[in-house]
């Protein structure tokens, strides 16, 4: 036997599947369900090799950007799948038919009819590559479900000898073709439904991977704008209609305008979009695209339209893209790209997460000077860039698209040496560098990072709390004003809707907790369901009747963390062939048993303690407790310990239906509004006034980050004034014991979810007034307005 060949009977793809051995005796529907269940295993097999697929995508994109070609080569089904992927690229992404090529053992006739013996000669694989003048700058993906096809081995070996990038795609391990591959993609789908029929699960896995390889490479090459195929080749009626809609979507123009632009651009959507948005001729648009390596986004970012109507449209589209490019340029200037791990957004911030080398020195200050940035907050190895609601998400999308194109564009795009903003143009408001350094050091501790992870479990659930809480708040108002309607079916249905998030809270928390700590999310969900299952009430254990839901989300968090640890250990020691069955079963049974016996009682004790401490503190201390909590919440945010309050809010909501902490803590945002308004009236700095004017409306709606990082924290003394305002409002809320039936909102919108709207609004007004008066009394150092080159008094 050839040294590259592996005995067929030992391959995973050739093993008998114990679950399908009686398939010929099944009813049709049962047979199809079985096939469908087996197919469901394929995405998980592909998911396990995503990091290697990512490397392959980067290698393919780099080679194509440098003028190389992509070759798929295989025999039988594997070869046909490669050809299928290759022939779809020209109409979808307007690639040349010679840029992505599919080769099959036996040539074109083998596409339609199996050609026996064609795959058994390694020399034929090398010969087919030679016939296409394959060179070192090209990439070849060898596809073989069994991992042993001689035709593919010959092609990969030849490509490797030339020094070209080689990628192997197989569905078994060991795979002989992996020996000749720089990147081996082994999607282990297990035995087929019909033994050896690798056109089934193995073929599905190969198709999924090939989709990722070509699509990922095309996206990185700028063949899309967002998720729109702006390089579509409008070669028939369907594709012409698609191109028309793409132009309309991107430019917000009429169908007639889009159709006219496409006719002028010979069906090329990119050119049509540039033509509509810039008013330039098609020839000029072609030159503009060429200057930007064929990429639409940087071409739009750098170009300004001339027509006033188009100027407004372009501004709306490219404002966030320009800001994203400026932030990216700042990262590059500080040599931060090599250490940037990911960029993502929350409600108001673009978050740049760096590796263990931490945030590059000076980057926070550079970014803070960019027009449109309201402030920066270094937190551990993460730079948080305050942009405001909505804008943060849009800038994050644009930033990631620019980042994805960075590697392959570097060789083709001219360096951007034009600086649109300078220190003189955008003066620093206050000096927050020392404060930021303290925040960075404090918030990088393991304990605070752990609580940040705990808080992130609840972030995806917050919209549910908001929806259900607002429903409950509105129903409370209706019930007080019109008590007779509470017996009607509509009111009762809405009451059920308002309690939905609490009904499923254990499941949601269990799922998110498992995902956050690296486990299988559905296991966390079913463990959460187990702890709340009503059937527990019928079970006695050691003469003790079990209580469904005891311990609430505290128990769920504990069991999810435990289950993650169990699952990770099992995956290291259980053989892969058994892991699919053994790991989830043992994890669920072991963690569930420990939860029922130990963690549920422990969680119940902790839950009672938390609920009693929160309600008892406010009941006993009243206004004084509220003033302390409201006045210290902003420093808690700065220290990073506010993350610990999120599960406490959720636990209070689950136990009592309201949280009495949220209205008190929300007053800190009211203090920010009052303090910032005082600064607005007193400052002579035009840029500072502009920041406050844009941030005050969202601040009143409960989004305080722009005011914190753009105004009060850099100025120093107004931050103290805001804390005093928060204390005033918190005292009122605690004195009257105001509760909120939601989580995740603050400011004016929270009023609708409280159990006493007038008193809540009274407390909010006290926070506004307290922050305003305190800031006027304390004063602040008005920063120099360098844009007008005039100096103002230092103290106001």
């Amino acid at each position: 036997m050839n040294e590259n060949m592996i005995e067929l009977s030992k391959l995973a793809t050739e093993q008998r599947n114990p679950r399908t051995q009686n398939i010929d005796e099944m009813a049709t529907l049962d047979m199809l369900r079985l096939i469908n269940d087996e197919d469901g295993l394929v995405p998980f097999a592909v998911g396990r090799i995503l990091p290697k697929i990512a490397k392959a995508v980067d290698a393919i994109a780099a080679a194509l950007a440098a003028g190389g070609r992509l070759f798929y080569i295989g025999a039988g089904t594997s070869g046909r799948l490669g050809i299928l992927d290759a022939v779809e690229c020209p109409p979808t992404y307007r690639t040349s038919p010679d840029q992505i090529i599919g080769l099959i053992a036996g040539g074109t006739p083998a596409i339609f009819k199996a050609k026996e013996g064609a795959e058994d000669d390694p020399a034929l694989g090398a010969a087919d590559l030679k016939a296409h003048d394959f060179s070192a700058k090209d990439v070849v993906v060898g596809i073989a479900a069994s991992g042993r096809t001689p035709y593919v081995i010959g092609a990969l070996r030849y490509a490797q000898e030339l020094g070209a990038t080689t990628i192997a795609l197989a569905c078994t391990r060991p795979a002989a073709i992996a020996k000749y591959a720089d990147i081996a993609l082994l999607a282990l789908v297990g035995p087929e439904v019909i033994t050896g029929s690798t056109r089934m699960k193995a073929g599905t896995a190969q198709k999924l991977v090939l989709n990722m390889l070509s699509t990922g490479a095309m996206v990185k090459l700028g063949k899309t704008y967002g998720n729109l195929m702006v390089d579509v080749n409008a070669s028939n009626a369907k594709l012409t209609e698609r191109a028309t809609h793409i132009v309309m979507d991107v430019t917000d123009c009429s169908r007639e305008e889009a159709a006219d632009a496409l006719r002028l651009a010979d069906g090329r959507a990119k050119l049509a979009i540039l033509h509509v948005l810039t008013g330039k001729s098609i020839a000029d648009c072609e030159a503009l695209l060429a200057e930007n390596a064929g990429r639409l986004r940087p071409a739009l970012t750098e170009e300004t339209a001339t027509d006033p109507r188009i100027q407004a449209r372009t501004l709306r589209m490219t404002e966030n893209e320009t800001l994203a490019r400026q932030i990216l340029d700042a990262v590059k200037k500080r040599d931060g790209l090599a250490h940037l791990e990911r960029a993502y957004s929350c409600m108001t911030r673009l978050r740049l997460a760096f590796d263990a080398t931490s945030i590059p020195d000076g980057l926070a200050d550079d970014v803070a000077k960019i027009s449109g940035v309201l402030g920066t907050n270094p937190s551990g190895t993460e730079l948080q860039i305050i942009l405001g609601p909505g804008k943060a998400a849009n800038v994050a999308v644009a930033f990631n698209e620019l980042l994805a194109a960075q590697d392959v564009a570097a060789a083709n795009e001219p360096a951007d040496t034009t600086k649109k903003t300078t220190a003189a143009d955008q003066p620093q408001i206050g000096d927050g560098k020392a404060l930021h350094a303290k925040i960075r050091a404090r918030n990088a501790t393991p304990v605070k990072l752990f609580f940040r992870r705990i808080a992130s479990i609840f972030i995806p659930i917050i919209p549910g709390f908001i929806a259900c809480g607002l429903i409950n708040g509105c129903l409370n108002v209706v019930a007080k004003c019109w008590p007779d309607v509470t017996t009607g079916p509509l009111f009762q249905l809405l009451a059920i809707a308002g309690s939905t998030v609490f009904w499923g809270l254990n499941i949601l928390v269990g799922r998110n907790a498992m995902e956050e700590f690296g486990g299988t999310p559905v296991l966390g969900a079913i463990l959460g369901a187990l702890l709340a299952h009503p059937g527990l009430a019928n079970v006695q254990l050691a003469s003790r009747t079990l209580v469904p839901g005891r311990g609430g989300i505290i128990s769920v968090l504990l069991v999810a963390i435990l289950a993650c640890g169990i699952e990770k250990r099992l995956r290291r020691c259980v053989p892969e062939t058994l892991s699919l069955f053994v790991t989830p079963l043992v994890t669920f049974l072991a963690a569930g048993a420990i939860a029922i016996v130990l963690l549920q009682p422990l969680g119940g004790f902790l839950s009672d303690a938390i609920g009693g401490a929160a309600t008892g503190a406010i009941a006993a201390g009243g206004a004084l407790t509220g003033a302390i909590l409201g006045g210290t919440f902003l420093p808690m945010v700065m220290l990073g310990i506010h993350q610990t309050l999120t599960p406490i809010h959720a636990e209070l909501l689950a136990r009592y239906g309201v949280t009495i902490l949220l209205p008190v803590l929300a007053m800190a945002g009211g203090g920010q509004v009052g303090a910032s308004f005082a600064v607005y009236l007193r400052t002579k700095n035009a840029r500072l006034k502009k920041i406050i004017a844009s941030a005050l409306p969202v601040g009143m709606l409960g989004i305080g980050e722009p005011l914190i990082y753009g105004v009060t924290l850099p100025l120093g003394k107004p931050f103290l004034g805001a804390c005093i305002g928060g204390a005033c409002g918190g005292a009122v809320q605690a004195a009257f014991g105001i509760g909120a039936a939601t989580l995740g909102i603050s400011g004016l919108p929270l009023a609708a979810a409280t159990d006493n709207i007038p008193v809540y609004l009274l407390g909010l007004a006290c926070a506004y007034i307290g922050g305003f008066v305190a800031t006027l009394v304390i004063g602040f150092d008005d920063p120099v307005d360098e844009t007008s080159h005039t100096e103002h008094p230092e103290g106001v």
Side-chain angles (χ1 to χ4, degrees), residues 202 244 287 340 381 563 603 758 788 790:
T244 302
L340 181 64
T381 59
S788 60
T790 59

Side-chain angles (χ1 to χ4, degrees), residues 155-503:
L156 289 174
R157 182 164 52 198
Y158 172 71
Q160 195 177 60
E161 290 170 355
L162 293 180
T165 299
T166 55
I167 300 168
L169 174 55
C171 295
T172 188
R173 181 186 291 137
I177 62 174
K179 178 180 178 181
Y180 304 99
D182 299 314
I183 304 170
L185 309 177
L186 306 182
L188 306 180
V189 297
E192 295 287 359
V193 171
I194 305 301
T195 305
S197 182
T198 52
R199 70 185 183 88
M200 301 186 75
K201 290 195 298 184
T204 302
Q206 290 172 332
K207 183 67 172 73
L208 291 178
V209 174
L210 294 175
N211 285 347
M212 293 180 182
L213 295 180
S214 57
T215 303
M218 293 299 104
V219 171
K220 292 181 74 68
L221 289 171
K223 295 287 188 177
T224 64
Y225 183 82
N227 62 354
L228 298 174
M229 53 171 74
V230 289
D231 251 340
V232 60
N233 185 7
S235 56
N236 58 33
K238 181 187 77 172
L239 295 179
T240 299
E241 180 69 9
R242 181 178 295 167
T244 302
H245 279 284
I246 288 172
V247 176
M248 293 169 61
D249 192 356
V250 175
T251 66
D252 197 27
C253 71
S254 67
R255 171 179 284 275
E256 292 74 18
E257 192 175 359
D260 289 342
L262 279 169
R263 279 193 291 271
L264 290 173
D266 194 24
R268 293 171 288 178
K270 274 184 180 177
L271 288 177
I273 291 167
L274 273 178
H275 173 68
V276 172
L277 290 179
T278 66
K280 290 180 174 290
S281 68
I282 294 298
D284 287 343
C285 290
E286 286 180 322
L288 184 58
L289 270 180
E291 291 172 6
N292 288 277
R295 300 172 185 278
L296 180 59
R297 188 174 297 280
L300 286 173
T301 302
E302 294 176 3
E303 191 57 36
T304 303
T306 54
D307 185 271
R309 176 178 63 88
I310 300 174
Q311 279 184 337
R313 187 187 301 156
T314 306
L315 179 62
R316 183 172 67 251
M317 287 185 53
T318 62
E319 180 182 20
N320 295 327
E321 295 158 7
T322 301
L323 182 53
R325 179 174 289 278
Q326 290 175 326
I327 294 172
L328 180 61
D329 288 343
V331 175
K332 291 163 61 178
K333 174 186 173 184
R334 296 290 180 175
D335 297 324
L337 277 185
H339 305 290
L340 181 64
E341 292 188 334
R342 67 174 180 140
Y344 64 106
S345 67
C346 60
M347 186 176 293
T348 60
R349 311 180 189 189
L350 170 66
R351 295 169 178 256
L352 305 183
F354 294 87
D355 59 21
T357 58
S358 191
I359 303 169
D361 291 338
L363 179 59
D365 291 338
D366 291 348
V367 172
K369 296 173 185 176
I370 297 174
S371 178
V373 173
L374 300 177
T376 57
N377 177 38
S379 177
T381 59
E382 182 177 271
L383 176 60
Q384 301 171 3
I385 303 171
I386 317 301
L387 300 173
K391 194 174 191 67
N394 293 332
V395 173
V397 170
F399 185 90
N400 278 311
E401 289 179 352
L402 290 171
L403 195 62
Q406 185 67 33
D407 292 339
V408 295
N412 298 310
E413 292 186 27
D416 182 11
T417 57
T418 303
K419 298 294 291 181
K420 295 185 179 181
T421 58
T422 64
D425 295 330
Q426 304 294 345
Q428 180 72 27
I429 302 300
D431 182 8
K433 186 174 182 180
L435 288 175
H436 286 170
K438 293 179 181 178
I439 294 170
R440 181 190 306 183
R442 290 171 179 168
N443 290 354
T445 64
V447 173
K448 291 173 185 174
L449 292 175
F450 172 77
F451 281 117
R452 186 183 303 171
R453 297 186 71 181
I454 293 293
S456 68
I457 293 169
F458 297 91
I459 290 174
I461 311 175
I462 286 177
F465 280 118
I466 293 173
C468 292
L470 291 177
I471 290 173
N472 288 333
C474 293
L475 290 180
N476 288 337
V477 175
V478 171
K480 291 176 182 177
C481 297
W482 301 283
D484 292 342
V485 304
T486 58
T487 58
L490 178 60
F491 186 95
Q492 292 174 350
L493 282 173
L494 287 173
I496 292 172
S499 65
T500 302
V501 71
F502 306 110
W503 182 84

